[in-house]
Amino acid sequence: KAKNRTTMTNLSPRTVAALTHLRRLKPLDGYAAESYVSLSGKPLVQLKRRNVPLKDEGFLDLVVHNSRVIGIQILTSSGNVGRGLILVNEDGSPCATDDSPITVNMADVGTTNSAAASFTRRSSSGAAAYNAPPPTNPLSNIDNENILQYGIMGLLALVVLKILVNALSSLAFLLLPLLYFYASANLPSIESFDAKKELKRVMRGAHLPEDQQPKGWVEQKINRLAASISTELATSLGYEVRVTDYLGVARLSAVKVPVAGSEFYWIGIMNRWQYIGQRELRSNND
């Protein structure tokens, strides 16, 4: 049907009641209503869910009947009885299968105020304006109880989290001496650090993520060969190794390679040497 999309700002009391019902039932479904005037001058309203119309056609009114939302298509001259389609089921889900017309006693539907009867008569005669205020979606008692319950649950979760953190902190404090002795017993020796071997690993990118490693067998061999040549050339004019001990549980090894203009760093802990980075030398005397 052709429509004049001049949107009207006010909705009928019954439509407001239907929207309030839907938003309480399904607050996250984004139910909304758009009122407009058809080309024939008849005020109509269209129900939308997440900005998508449930039906292409517009309705004279939206009403709540037996917990379902009905789109009224026809009204009697007295406005007491209407016929329309079920748009939303009792559980708040859109009715997509049943297009059978349903008869509604307009006296049984919910409204927001007593102006509904006069509005029904104006709609049936083709009036162009609504007098009811837009929906405000107030919170019901059930909504307030849910918010209170969520707040209490959140407070309890914070209390439990604090207890767990305190318990873990106490446990860590008790385990700290054991961790110290274990790390001290497994401190890698200075002799175990092979500067050239570790430099080759860095040159071939062994410390890089898996997706940056060579994929094929040939690429891996070429990468290893290039790393060996680069390491030999870089260390051919000499290099300097410094090892610093930290509390007997870790060692920091620094390898200065003047030809490469860089200094490389490894940390030794738990019987292994882990590459941690490098820096550029600002001068030969750095």
Side-chain angles (χ1 to χ4, degrees):
K1 296 180 181 179
K3 302 173 182 177
N4 176 7
R5 278 298 177 183
T6 302
T7 303
M8 303 176 64
T9 57
N10 293 330
L11 300 173
S12 74
R14 292 191 178 106
T15 298
V16 172
L19 280 178
T20 302
H21 168 76
L22 290 175
R23 289 171 178 173
R24 287 176 179 171
L25 191 62
K26 292 287 186 178
L28 302 180
D29 277 22
Y31 278 110
E34 178 184 353
S35 58
Y36 62 94
V37 180
S38 67
L39 293 179
S40 61
K42 181 180 294 185
L44 299 175
V45 62
Q46 192 175 50
L47 182 62
K48 294 183 176 182
R49 178 175 178 266
R50 295 169 184 165
N51 209 31
V52 178
L54 271 66
K55 298 288 184 182
D56 292 334
E57 62 183 295
F59 300 92
L60 297 176
D61 209 347
L62 302 177
V63 301
V64 181
H65 184 260
N66 293 334
S67 299
R68 299 174 298 182
V69 175
I70 313 296
I72 300 299
Q73 296 172 306
I74 302 173
L75 281 170
T76 60
S77 58
S78 61
N80 295 329
V81 179
R83 284 179 65 82
L85 301 178
I86 301 174
L87 301 180
V88 182
N89 297 315
E90 294 92 333
D91 60 355
S93 62
C95 181
T97 58
D98 189 4
D99 285 335
S100 302
I102 181 173
T103 301
V104 178
N105 186 351
M106 302 301 288
D108 297 336
V109 302
T111 60
T112 55
N113 55 46
S114 58
S118 60
F119 170 83
T120 301
R121 287 191 286 273
R122 288 199 303 272
S123 296
S124 61
S125 61
Y130 293 104
N131 295 323
T136 57
N137 193 23
L139 292 175
S140 65
N141 292 334
I142 296 178
D143 295 330
N144 291 328
E145 291 178 2
N146 290 336
I147 292 174
L148 181 60
Q149 290 178 0
Y150 292 146
I152 294 174
M153 291 173 61
L155 183 60
L156 289 176
L158 288 176
V159 172
V160 172
L161 181 61
K162 184 176 181 180
I163 294 174
L164 290 176
V165 170
N166 291 337
L168 291 175
S169 299
S170 301
L171 182 62
F173 180 78
L174 294 175
L175 292 178
L176 188 60
L178 296 178
L179 292 175
Y180 175 82
F181 287 120
Y182 180 80
S184 178
N186 291 276
L187 180 67
S189 63
I190 297 177
E191 293 77 14
S192 66
F193 181 75
D194 189 333
K196 281 194 173 183
K197 178 181 176 181
E198 295 297 337
L199 280 172
K200 287 180 183 179
R201 288 175 54 83
V202 173
M203 293 297 181
R204 72 169 185 262
H207 61 287
L208 297 176
E210 186 67 26
D211 57 353
Q212 299 183 26
Q213 299 287 343
K215 302 303 180 184
W217 181 83
V218 175
E219 290 185 21
Q220 292 177 357
K221 291 299 181 182
I222 294 176
N223 186 52
R224 286 177 177 272
L225 179 61
S228 298
I229 295 175
S230 299
T231 302
E232 293 297 333
L233 291 176
T235 58
S236 59
L237 298 181
Y239 58 92
E240 178 186 341
V241 179
R242 299 194 316 274
V243 179
T244 306
D245 187 274
Y246 289 94
L247 301 176
V249 296
R251 287 191 169 104
L252 179 67
S253 179
V255 179
K256 181 188 293 186
V257 185
V259 174
S262 299
E263 190 169 38
F264 302 85
Y265 300 93
W266 289 261
I267 185 170
I269 191 170
M270 300 298 181
N271 278 331
R272 62 173 296 185
W273 292 95
Q274 177 64 46
Y275 174 72
I276 57 176
Q278 69 182 75
R279 71 180 182 92
E280 293 185 1
L281 299 177
R282 288 173 294 183
S283 67
N284 290 334
N285 296 324
D286 189 12

Coordinates of all heavy atoms in Angstrom, one line a residue, residues 51-124:
N51 N 14.1 -1.9 14.5 CA 14.0 -1.0 13.3 C 13.5 -1.8 12.1 O 13.6 -1.2 11.0 CB 15.3 -0.3 13.0 CG 15.1 1.0 12.4 OD1 14.1 1.7 12.6 ND2 16.0 1.5 11.5
V52 N 13.0 -3.0 12.2 CA 12.5 -3.7 11.1 C 11.0 -4.0 11.3 O 10.6 -4.5 12.4 CB 13.2 -5.1 10.9 CG1 12.5 -5.9 9.8 CG2 14.7 -4.9 10.7
P53 N 10.1 -3.5 10.4 CA 8.7 -3.7 10.6 C 8.3 -5.2 10.7 O 8.8 -6.0 9.9 CB 8.0 -3.0 9.4 CG 9.1 -2.1 8.8 CD 10.4 -2.8 9.2
L54 N 7.4 -5.5 11.6 CA 6.9 -6.9 11.7 C 5.9 -7.2 10.6 O 5.8 -8.3 10.1 CB 6.2 -7.1 13.1 CG 7.1 -7.6 14.2 CD1 8.1 -6.5 14.6 CD2 6.2 -8.0 15.4
K55 N 5.2 -6.2 10.1 CA 4.3 -6.3 8.9 C 4.5 -5.1 8.1 O 4.8 -4.0 8.5 CB 2.8 -6.4 9.4 CG 2.5 -7.6 10.2 CD 2.5 -8.9 9.4 CE 2.0 -10.1 10.3 NZ 2.1 -11.3 9.5
D56 N 4.4 -5.3 6.7 CA 4.5 -4.2 5.8 C 3.4 -3.2 5.9 O 3.6 -2.0 5.7 CB 4.6 -4.7 4.4 CG 5.9 -5.4 4.1 OD1 6.9 -5.2 4.8 OD2 5.9 -6.3 3.2
E57 N 2.3 -3.6 6.3 CA 1.1 -2.8 6.4 C 1.0 -2.0 7.7 O 1.7 -2.4 8.7 CB -0.2 -3.6 6.2 CG -0.4 -4.6 7.3 CD -1.6 -5.5 7.0 OE1 -2.7 -4.9 7.1 OE2 -1.4 -6.7 6.8
G58 N 0.3 -0.9 7.8 CA 0.0 -0.2 9.0 C -1.3 -0.6 9.6 O -2.2 -1.2 8.9
F59 N -1.5 -0.2 10.9 CA -2.7 -0.6 11.6 C -3.4 0.6 12.2 O -2.7 1.6 12.5 CB -2.4 -1.7 12.7 CG -1.8 -2.9 12.1 CD1 -0.4 -3.1 12.0 CD2 -2.6 -4.0 11.7 CE1 0.1 -4.2 11.5 CE2 -2.1 -5.1 11.2 CZ -0.7 -5.3 11.1
L60 N -4.7 0.5 12.5 CA -5.4 1.6 13.1 C -4.9 1.8 14.5 O -4.9 2.9 15.0 CB -6.9 1.3 13.1 CG -7.6 1.2 11.7 CD1 -9.0 0.9 11.9 CD2 -7.4 2.5 11.0
D61 N -4.5 0.7 15.2 CA -4.1 0.8 16.6 C -3.3 -0.5 16.9 O -3.5 -1.5 16.2 CB -5.3 1.0 17.5 CG -4.9 1.7 18.8 OD1 -3.7 1.9 19.0 OD2 -5.8 2.2 19.5
L62 N -2.5 -0.4 18.0 CA -1.9 -1.6 18.5 C -2.4 -1.8 19.9 O -2.4 -0.9 20.7 CB -0.3 -1.4 18.6 CG 0.4 -1.2 17.3 CD1 1.9 -0.9 17.6 CD2 0.2 -2.3 16.3
V63 N -2.9 -3.0 20.3 CA -3.5 -3.3 21.5 C -2.9 -4.6 22.2 O -2.4 -5.4 21.5 CB -5.0 -3.4 21.4 CG1 -5.6 -2.2 20.8 CG2 -5.4 -4.7 20.5
V64 N -3.0 -4.7 23.5 CA -2.6 -5.9 24.2 C -3.9 -6.6 24.6 O -4.8 -6.1 25.2 CB -1.9 -5.5 25.5 CG1 -1.5 -6.8 26.2 CG2 -0.6 -4.7 25.2
H65 N -4.0 -7.9 24.1 CA -5.2 -8.7 24.3 C -4.7 -10.1 24.7 O -4.0 -10.8 23.9 CB -6.1 -8.7 23.1 CG -7.4 -9.5 23.3 ND1 -7.5 -10.8 22.9 CD2 -8.5 -9.1 23.9 CE1 -8.8 -11.2 23.2 NE2 -9.4 -10.2 23.8
N66 N -5.0 -10.6 25.9 CA -4.6 -11.9 26.4 C -3.1 -12.0 26.3 O -2.6 -13.1 25.8 CB -5.3 -13.0 25.6 CG -6.8 -13.1 25.8 OD1 -7.3 -12.6 26.9 ND2 -7.5 -13.6 24.9
S67 N -2.4 -11.0 26.7 CA -0.9 -10.9 26.7 C -0.3 -11.0 25.3 O 0.9 -11.1 25.2 CB -0.3 -12.1 27.5 OG -0.8 -12.0 28.9
R68 N -1.1 -10.9 24.3 CA -0.6 -10.8 22.9 C -0.8 -9.4 22.4 O -1.7 -8.7 22.8 CB -1.3 -11.8 22.0 CG -1.1 -13.2 22.4 CD -1.9 -14.2 21.6 NE -3.3 -13.9 21.7 CZ -4.3 -14.6 21.1 NH1 -4.0 -15.6 20.3 NH2 -5.6 -14.3 21.3
V69 N 0.1 -9.0 21.5 CA -0.1 -7.6 20.8 C -0.8 -7.8 19.5 O -0.3 -8.6 18.6 CB 1.3 -6.9 20.7 CG1 1.1 -5.6 19.9 CG2 1.9 -6.7 22.0
I70 N -1.9 -7.1 19.3 CA -2.7 -7.3 18.1 C -2.6 -6.0 17.3 O -2.7 -4.9 17.9 CB -4.2 -7.6 18.5 CG1 -4.3 -8.7 19.5 CG2 -5.0 -7.9 17.2 CD1 -3.7 -10.0 19.0
G71 N -2.5 -6.1 16.0 CA -2.6 -4.9 15.1 C -4.0 -4.8 14.6 O -4.5 -5.7 13.8
I72 N -4.7 -3.8 15.0 CA -6.2 -3.6 14.6 C -6.2 -3.1 13.2 O -5.7 -2.0 12.9 CB -6.9 -2.7 15.6 CG1 -6.8 -3.2 17.0 CG2 -8.3 -2.5 15.2 CD1 -7.5 -4.6 17.2
Q73 N -7.0 -3.8 12.3 CA -7.2 -3.4 10.9 C -8.6 -2.8 10.7 O -8.7 -1.9 9.9 CB -7.0 -4.7 10.0 CG -5.7 -5.3 10.1 CD -5.6 -6.6 9.3 OE1 -6.4 -7.5 9.6 NE2 -4.7 -6.7 8.4
I74 N -9.6 -3.3 11.4 CA -10.9 -2.8 11.2 C -11.6 -2.6 12.6 O -11.4 -3.4 13.5 CB -11.8 -3.9 10.4 CG1 -11.1 -4.2 9.1 CG2 -13.2 -3.4 10.2 CD1 -11.8 -5.3 8.3
L75 N -12.3 -1.5 12.7 CA -13.1 -1.1 13.8 C -14.6 -1.0 13.5 O -14.9 -0.4 12.4 CB -12.6 0.1 14.5 CG -11.3 0.0 15.4 CD1 -10.9 1.4 15.8 CD2 -11.6 -0.8 16.6
T76 N -15.5 -1.4 14.4 CA -16.9 -1.1 14.1 C -17.1 0.4 14.3 O -16.3 1.1 14.9 CB -17.7 -1.9 15.1 OG1 -17.4 -1.5 16.5 CG2 -17.5 -3.4 15.0
S77 N -18.3 0.9 13.8 CA -18.6 2.3 13.9 C -18.6 2.8 15.3 O -18.2 3.9 15.6 CB -19.9 2.6 13.2 OG -20.9 1.8 13.9
S78 N -19.0 1.9 16.3 CA -19.0 2.3 17.7 C -17.6 2.2 18.3 O -17.4 2.8 19.4 CB -20.0 1.4 18.5 OG -19.6 0.1 18.4
G79 N -16.7 1.5 17.7 CA -15.4 1.4 18.2 C -15.3 0.3 19.3 O -14.2 0.2 20.0
N80 N -16.3 -0.5 19.5 CA -16.3 -1.5 20.6 C -15.6 -2.8 20.2 O -15.2 -3.5 21.1 CB -17.7 -1.7 21.1 CG -18.4 -0.5 21.7 OD1 -17.7 0.3 22.3 ND2 -19.7 -0.4 21.6
V81 N -15.6 -3.1 18.9 CA -15.1 -4.4 18.5 C -14.1 -4.1 17.3 O -14.4 -3.2 16.4 CB -16.2 -5.3 18.0 CG1 -15.6 -6.6 17.5 CG2 -17.2 -5.6 19.2
G82 N -13.0 -4.8 17.3 CA -12.1 -4.6 16.2 C -11.6 -6.0 15.7 O -11.7 -7.0 16.4
R83 N -11.1 -6.0 14.5 CA -10.5 -7.2 14.0 C -9.1 -6.9 13.5 O -8.8 -5.8 13.0 CB -11.3 -7.8 12.8 CG -12.6 -8.5 13.2 CD -13.4 -9.0 12.0 NE -12.6 -10.0 11.3 CZ -12.6 -11.3 11.7 NH1 -13.3 -11.7 12.7 NH2 -12.0 -12.2 11.0
G84 N -8.2 -7.8 13.7 CA -6.8 -7.6 13.3 C -5.9 -8.8 13.3 O -6.5 -9.9 13.4
L85 N -4.6 -8.6 13.3 CA -3.7 -9.7 13.2 C -2.8 -9.8 14.5 O -2.5 -8.7 15.1 CB -2.7 -9.6 12.0 CG -3.4 -9.5 10.6 CD1 -2.3 -9.2 9.6 CD2 -4.1 -10.8 10.3
I86 N -2.4 -11.0 14.9 CA -1.5 -11.2 16.0 C -0.1 -10.8 15.6 O 0.4 -11.4 14.6 CB -1.6 -12.6 16.6 CG1 -3.0 -13.0 17.0 CG2 -0.6 -12.8 17.7 CD1 -3.1 -14.4 17.4
L87 N 0.5 -9.8 16.2 CA 1.9 -9.4 15.8 C 2.9 -10.0 16.7 O 4.0 -10.4 16.3 CB 2.0 -7.9 15.8 CG 1.0 -7.1 14.9 CD1 1.2 -5.6 15.1 CD2 1.2 -7.6 13.5
V88 N 2.6 -10.1 18.0 CA 3.6 -10.6 19.0 C 2.9 -11.6 19.9 O 1.8 -11.4 20.4 CB 4.2 -9.5 19.8 CG1 5.3 -10.0 20.8 CG2 4.8 -8.4 18.9
N89 N 3.6 -12.8 20.1 CA 3.0 -13.8 21.0 C 3.1 -13.4 22.5 O 3.7 -12.4 22.9 CB 3.7 -15.1 20.7 CG 3.5 -15.6 19.3 OD1 2.4 -15.6 18.8 ND2 4.6 -16.0 18.7
E90 N 2.6 -14.3 23.3 CA 2.6 -14.1 24.8 C 4.0 -14.0 25.3 O 4.2 -13.2 26.3 CB 1.8 -15.2 25.5 CG 0.3 -15.3 25.2 CD 0.0 -16.2 24.0 OE1 0.9 -16.4 23.2 OE2 -1.1 -16.7 24.0
D91 N 4.9 -14.7 24.7 CA 6.3 -14.7 25.3 C 7.2 -13.5 24.7 O 8.3 -13.5 25.0 CB 7.0 -16.0 25.0 CG 7.1 -16.3 23.5 OD1 6.5 -15.5 22.7 OD2 7.7 -17.3 23.1
G92 N 6.6 -12.7 23.9 CA 7.3 -11.5 23.4 C 7.9 -11.8 22.0 O 8.6 -10.9 21.5
S93 N 7.8 -13.0 21.5 CA 8.4 -13.3 20.2 C 7.4 -12.9 19.1 O 6.2 -13.0 19.2 CB 8.7 -14.8 20.1 OG 7.5 -15.6 20.2
P94 N 7.9 -12.4 17.9 CA 7.1 -12.1 16.8 C 6.3 -13.3 16.3 O 6.8 -14.4 16.2 CB 8.1 -11.6 15.7 CG 9.3 -11.2 16.5 CD 9.4 -12.1 17.6
C95 N 5.0 -13.0 15.9 CA 4.2 -14.1 15.4 C 4.4 -14.1 13.9 O 3.9 -13.2 13.2 CB 2.7 -13.8 15.8 SG 1.6 -15.1 15.1
A96 N 5.1 -15.1 13.4 CA 5.4 -15.1 11.9 C 4.6 -16.1 11.1 O 4.7 -16.2 9.9 CB 6.9 -15.4 11.8
T97 N 3.8 -16.9 11.8 CA 3.1 -18.0 11.1 C 1.6 -17.8 11.0 O 1.0 -18.2 10.0 CB 3.4 -19.3 11.8 OG1 2.9 -19.2 13.2 CG2 4.8 -19.6 11.8
D98 N 1.0 -17.1 11.9 CA -0.5 -17.1 12.0 C -1.0 -15.7 11.4 O -0.8 -14.7 12.1 CB -1.0 -17.3 13.4 CG -2.5 -17.4 13.4 OD1 -3.2 -17.4 12.3 OD2 -3.1 -17.5 14.5
D99 N -1.6 -15.7 10.2 CA -2.1 -14.4 9.7 C -3.6 -14.4 9.7 O -4.3 -13.7 8.9 CB -1.6 -14.3 8.2 CG -0.1 -13.8 8.2 OD1 0.3 -13.2 9.2 OD2 0.5 -14.1 7.2
S100 N -4.2 -15.3 10.5 CA -5.7 -15.4 10.6 C -6.2 -14.2 11.4 O -5.7 -13.9 12.5 CB -6.1 -16.7 11.3 OG -5.6 -17.8 10.6
P101 N -7.2 -13.5 10.9 CA -7.8 -12.3 11.6 C -8.3 -12.8 13.0 O -8.8 -13.9 13.1 CB -8.9 -11.8 10.7 CG -8.5 -12.3 9.4 CD -7.9 -13.7 9.6
I102 N -8.3 -12.0 14.0 CA -8.8 -12.3 15.3 C -9.7 -11.1 15.7 O -9.4 -9.9 15.4 CB -7.6 -12.4 16.3 CG1 -8.2 -12.8 17.7 CG2 -6.7 -11.2 16.4 CD1 -7.1 -13.1 18.7
T103 N -10.8 -11.5 16.3 CA -11.8 -10.5 16.8 C -11.4 -10.1 18.2 O -11.2 -10.9 19.1 CB -13.2 -11.0 16.7 OG1 -13.5 -11.4 15.4 CG2 -14.2 -10.0 17.2
V104 N -11.4 -8.8 18.5 CA -11.0 -8.2 19.8 C -12.1 -7.3 20.4 O -12.6 -6.4 19.7 CB -9.7 -7.4 19.7 CG1 -9.3 -6.9 21.1 CG2 -8.6 -8.3 19.2
N105 N -12.5 -7.6 21.6 CA -13.4 -6.7 22.3 C -12.6 -5.6 22.9 O -11.8 -5.8 23.8 CB -14.1 -7.5 23.4 CG -15.2 -6.6 24.1 OD1 -15.3 -5.4 23.9 ND2 -16.0 -7.2 25.0
M106 N -12.7 -4.4 22.4 CA -11.9 -3.3 22.7 C -12.0 -2.9 24.2 O -11.1 -2.2 24.7 CB -12.2 -2.1 21.8 CG -12.0 -2.4 20.3 SD -10.3 -2.9 19.9 CE -9.4 -1.4 20.0
A107 N -13.0 -3.3 24.8 CA -13.2 -3.0 26.2 C -12.2 -3.8 27.1 O -12.0 -3.5 28.3 CB -14.6 -3.2 26.7
D108 N -11.7 -4.9 26.5 CA -10.8 -5.8 27.3 C -9.4 -5.5 27.1 O -8.5 -6.2 27.7 CB -11.1 -7.3 26.8 CG -12.5 -7.7 27.1 OD1 -13.1 -7.2 28.0 OD2 -13.0 -8.7 26.4
V109 N -9.0 -4.6 26.3 CA -7.6 -4.3 26.0 C -7.1 -3.3 27.0 O -7.8 -2.5 27.6 CB -7.4 -3.8 24.6 CG1 -7.9 -4.8 23.6 CG2 -8.0 -2.5 24.3
G110 N -5.7 -3.3 27.2 CA -5.1 -2.4 28.2 C -4.9 -1.0 27.6 O -4.6 -0.9 26.4
T111 N -5.0 0.0 28.4 CA -4.7 1.4 27.9 C -3.9 2.1 29.0 O -3.8 1.7 30.2 CB -6.0 2.2 27.7 OG1 -6.8 2.2 28.9 CG2 -6.9 1.6 26.6
T112 N -3.4 3.3 28.7 CA -2.6 4.0 29.6 C -3.5 5.1 30.4 O -3.1 5.5 31.4 CB -1.5 4.8 29.0 OG1 -2.0 5.6 27.9 CG2 -0.5 3.8 28.4
N113 N -4.6 5.5 29.8 CA -5.5 6.4 30.4 C -6.9 6.3 29.8 O -7.1 5.6 28.9 CB -5.0 7.9 30.4 CG -4.7 8.3 28.9 OD1 -5.5 8.1 28.0 ND2 -3.5 8.9 28.7
S114 N -7.8 7.1 30.3 CA -9.2 7.0 29.9 C -9.4 7.6 28.6 O -10.6 7.6 28.1 CB -10.1 7.7 31.0 OG -9.7 9.0 31.1
A115 N -8.4 8.2 27.9 CA -8.7 8.9 26.6 C -8.7 7.9 25.5 O -8.9 8.2 24.3 CB -7.5 9.9 26.4
A116 N -8.6 6.6 25.8 CA -8.5 5.6 24.7 C -9.8 5.5 23.9 O -9.8 5.3 22.7 CB -8.2 4.2 25.3
A117 N -11.0 5.6 24.6 CA -12.2 5.5 23.9 C -12.4 6.6 22.9 O -12.8 6.3 21.7 CB -13.4 5.5 24.9
S118 N -12.2 7.8 23.3 CA -12.3 8.9 22.3 C -11.3 8.8 21.2 O -11.7 9.1 20.0 CB -12.2 10.2 23.0 OG -10.9 10.3 23.6
F119 N -10.1 8.3 21.5 CA -9.1 8.1 20.4 C -9.6 7.1 19.4 O -9.4 7.2 18.2 CB -7.8 7.7 21.0 CG -6.8 7.3 19.9 CD1 -6.1 8.2 19.2 CD2 -6.6 5.9 19.6 CE1 -5.2 7.8 18.3 CE2 -5.8 5.6 18.6 CZ -5.0 6.5 18.0
T120 N -10.2 6.0 19.9 CA -10.7 4.9 19.0 C -11.7 5.5 18.0 O -11.7 5.1 16.8 CB -11.3 3.8 19.8 OG1 -10.3 3.3 20.7 CG2 -11.8 2.7 18.9
R121 N -12.6 6.3 18.5 CA -13.6 6.9 17.6 C -13.0 7.8 16.6 O -13.4 7.9 15.4 CB -14.7 7.6 18.4 CG -15.6 6.7 19.2 CD -16.8 7.4 19.8 NE -16.4 8.2 20.9 CZ -16.3 7.7 22.2 NH1 -16.6 6.4 22.4 NH2 -16.0 8.4 23.2
R122 N -12.0 8.6 17.0 CA -11.3 9.5 16.0 C -10.5 8.7 15.0 O -10.5 9.0 13.8 CB -10.3 10.4 16.8 CG -11.0 11.5 17.6 CD -10.0 12.6 17.9 NE -8.8 12.0 18.6 CZ -8.8 11.9 19.9 NH1 -9.8 12.2 20.7 NH2 -7.7 11.4 20.5
S123 N -9.9 7.5 15.4 CA -9.2 6.7 14.4 C -10.1 6.1 13.4 O -9.8 6.0 12.2 CB -8.4 5.6 15.2 OG -7.5 6.1 16.0
S124 N -11.3 5.6 13.9 CA -12.2 5.0 12.9 C -12.8 6.0 11.9 O -13.2 5.6 10.8 CB -13.4 4.3 13.7 OG -14.1 5.3 14.5

